[in-house]
Amino acid sequence: MAENLTRRQFMKIAGWAATVTGFTALSIPVIAYFYPKDLAEAPSEPVLVGPPDEIGIGESKTIPFGRYPVLVINTGEGLRAYSAVCTHFACLVNWEPDTGQIRCPCHEGYFDPLDGSVISGPPPLPLETIRIFTGEDGLIYIGGEEEA
Ligand code: FES
């Protein structure tokens, strides 16, 4: 049966196979970029931020938290923690002490550091709030389960 396969037919089949393989290989990271798995991949245990004075007023720290980082900000009205993944197209946001806002550099999205809400720009939703608390050892942690 293979003897009946012409060179042209073989090249056509090989071309289609290469196209499908290439498309699949390229589409997976693109889909993951636009539709990131959110905190389903967050660590089950709390993650250490540091001692209470680790982050000065008006400063921030980015903490690795599972697959995505968390932005911890000392707002002057307390510490706040948000997923650093923008709700628009999943770019990583950063803290801008000069403006007192959280900024997404990709499309100029701005978020309120007190509640993560959208101030301006294209993001459709607020940043995801991450639990932040003081442990029994007096250190600051993010994540983990809320005690009932
Ligand atoms: S990805 Fe953040 S504003 Fe577009």
Side-chain angles (χ1 to χ4, degrees):
M1 184 172 229
E3 298 126 26
N4 296 335
L5 194 63
T6 65
R7 177 179 166 84
R8 174 174 280 236
Q9 289 170 323
F10 175 78
M11 293 305 288
K12 194 172 184 178
I13 292 169
W16 274 107
T19 301
V20 169
T21 303
F23 181 77
T24 303
L26 288 176
S27 62
I28 289 172
V30 170
I31 290 169
Y33 175 82
F34 286 111
Y35 301 99
K37 293 179 184 170
D38 56 9
L39 297 173
E41 294 187 15
S44 57
E45 297 296 318
V47 172
L48 177 67
V49 174
D53 59 355
E54 174 86 2
I55 305 169
I57 293 175
E59 296 177 350
S60 71
K61 183 176 182 181
T62 301
I63 310 286
F65 190 74
R67 186 173 170 193
Y68 297 103
V70 165
L71 185 63
V72 178
I73 305 165
N74 185 341
T75 65
E77 295 181 35
L79 292 171
R80 302 287 196 279
Y82 303 103
S83 167
V85 178
C86 181
T87 56
H88 185 219
F89 279 146
C91 289
L92 295 183
V93 300
N94 50 55
W95 168 240
E96 283 199 337
D98 294 344
T99 61
Q101 296 178 351
I102 301 166
R103 175 178 173 256
C104 179
C106 289
H107 310 102
E108 296 300 318
Y110 286 88
F111 299 89
D112 189 320
L114 293 178
D115 60 7
S117 62
V118 179
I119 294 173
S120 64
L125 296 168
L127 292 173
E128 186 157 0
T129 301
I130 306 297
R131 177 180 181 236
I132 185 164
F133 64 99
T134 303
E136 291 178 6
D137 56 5
L139 300 174
I140 306 298
Y141 293 87
I142 54 174
E145 296 293 321
E146 194 109 26
E147 291 178 19

